[in-house]
Amino acid sequence: MKLVRYGERGAEQPGLIDAEGRLRSLVGHVPDIAGAVLEDLGALRALDVAALPLVEGEVRLGACVGGVGKFICIGLNYSDHAAESGMAVPPEPVIFAKFTSAICGPNDPILIPRGSVKTDWEVELAFVIGKRAKHVSEADALSHVAGYCLANDVSERAWQTERSGQWSKGKGSDNFGPLGPWLVTLDEIADPQNLPMWLEVNGERMQQGSTTSMVYGVAYLVSYLSQFFTLHPGDVISTGTPPGVGMGHKPPRYLKAGDVVTLGIDGLGTQRQLCVDEG
């Protein structure tokens, strides 16, 4: 299934994309694509999709999961991206957080924060927890995942690396976490470690990679993270980016108002974001 949330920000409604690519409403069947709904997707699979109401016309897509408790990110998780960053591949996953206020829809604008000079892009595979996970084995890890989605880990590099402290100050600004367009359930992705991915700025290809280059895969990350804290349904984990980010270019290239960022992962859809000054 491809699960979506649509409508005005803060008032999104649940839906799904049918086999013909049409948006259908799940209103009246589930309250949201969040929490307990992710624990029991069997109820949604049992629905007669053809009987669900079609949603006509242009609608905004929100983040594909609601009620996110934790938004966890993995840094330097592609060996070639670590190299372009001038950093060694870490002996254990690097963990940092994006604040949930960063979460937005897949086509919402990138807000370049006031005072930013190095706003950057990062196409990433994210996954969403569907079942509580604490001290789970790697062999059992994927049974705790509800599905996968596309993410853009927008970053302000000067704030991340030049202003002391932890990375989160450069990662958690408003609209720095587009998620979606849809949450693709586990059964539709045969191998999360073999997904081509790309990102363009103003039509120019900047990133071209594959999840085959991830240092720590999805199953390992679920098991690893569950050592330190409980993962709950709706928690989002974004797994790192391949090379081609702005700071890796020579000279570096960063986003400015008017730029258009497009990105995608095979099977997980695409995003499009216009960059605007926060004001």
Side-chain angles (χ1 to χ4, degrees), residues 41-156:
L41 294 174
L44 290 179
R45 291 192 179 96
L47 294 174
D48 179 3
V49 172
L52 296 173
L54 285 167
V55 179
E56 305 287 357
E58 294 292 324
V59 294
R60 170 188 174 271
L61 292 180
C64 58
V65 59
V68 176
K70 294 189 285 297
F71 191 173
I72 303 162
C73 298
I74 309 300
L76 303 174
N77 198 28
Y78 285 68
S79 55
D80 36 13
H81 171 57
E84 76 170 347
S85 303
M87 301 180 187
V89 173
E92 294 189 35
V94 172
I95 303 171
F96 64 92
K98 290 176 90 79
F99 305 113
T100 55
S101 54
I103 294 172
C104 64
N107 304 314
D108 289 346
I110 290 174
L111 302 179
I112 298 179
R114 188 181 304 177
S116 167
V117 292
K118 296 182 179 180
T119 296
D120 204 348
W121 57 82
E122 294 188 16
V123 59
E124 302 200 1
L125 169 70
F127 61 89
V128 178
I129 296 298
K131 184 173 69 174
R132 181 183 180 276
K134 181 68 171 177
H135 296 301
V136 302
S137 68
E138 189 171 351
D140 187 47
L142 291 185
S143 70
H144 295 263
V145 174
Y148 305 97
C149 66
L150 174 62
N152 187 355
D153 177 17
V154 185
S155 310
E156 212 301 334

Side-chain angles (χ1 to χ4, degrees), residues 119-271:
T119 296
D120 204 348
W121 57 82
E122 294 188 16
V123 59
E124 302 200 1
L125 169 70
F127 61 89
V128 178
I129 296 298
K131 184 173 69 174
R132 181 183 180 276
K134 181 68 171 177
H135 296 301
V136 302
S137 68
E138 189 171 351
D140 187 47
L142 291 185
S143 70
H144 295 263
V145 174
Y148 305 97
C149 66
L150 174 62
N152 187 355
D153 177 17
V154 185
S155 310
E156 212 301 334
R157 302 299 188 187
W159 299 358
Q160 177 189 355
T161 63
E162 300 170 21
R163 295 190 60 177
S164 187
Q166 298 180 342
W167 286 7
S168 293
K169 69 174 66 174
K171 296 282 192 172
S173 295
D174 296 346
N175 282 34
F176 269 27
L179 296 176
W182 40 69
L183 174 65
V184 180
T185 53
L186 204 65
D187 56 295
E188 292 202 12
I189 301 297
D191 183 3
Q193 305 310 145
N194 188 26
L195 299 175
M197 58 207 306
W198 57 271
L199 182 144
E200 295 179 350
V201 178
N202 300 327
E204 181 180 355
R205 187 62 55 99
M206 296 296 184
Q207 291 185 274
Q208 184 80 52
S210 170
T211 58
T212 56
S213 299
M214 284 171 60
V215 179
Y216 302 107
V218 172
Y220 181 88
L221 290 171
V222 173
S223 177
Y224 180 82
L225 294 170
S226 75
Q227 297 176 44
F228 306 110
F229 38 75
T230 302
L231 297 171
H232 293 99
D235 286 349
V236 175
I237 294 90
S238 199
T239 61
T241 197
V245 300
M247 71 174 182
H249 284 263
K250 300 187 186 307
R253 299 175 62 172
Y254 296 110
L255 297 170
K256 62 184 185 303
D259 287 342
V260 175
V261 180
T262 52
L263 56 148
I265 297 178
D266 281 15
L268 300 183
T270 61
Q271 299 183 357

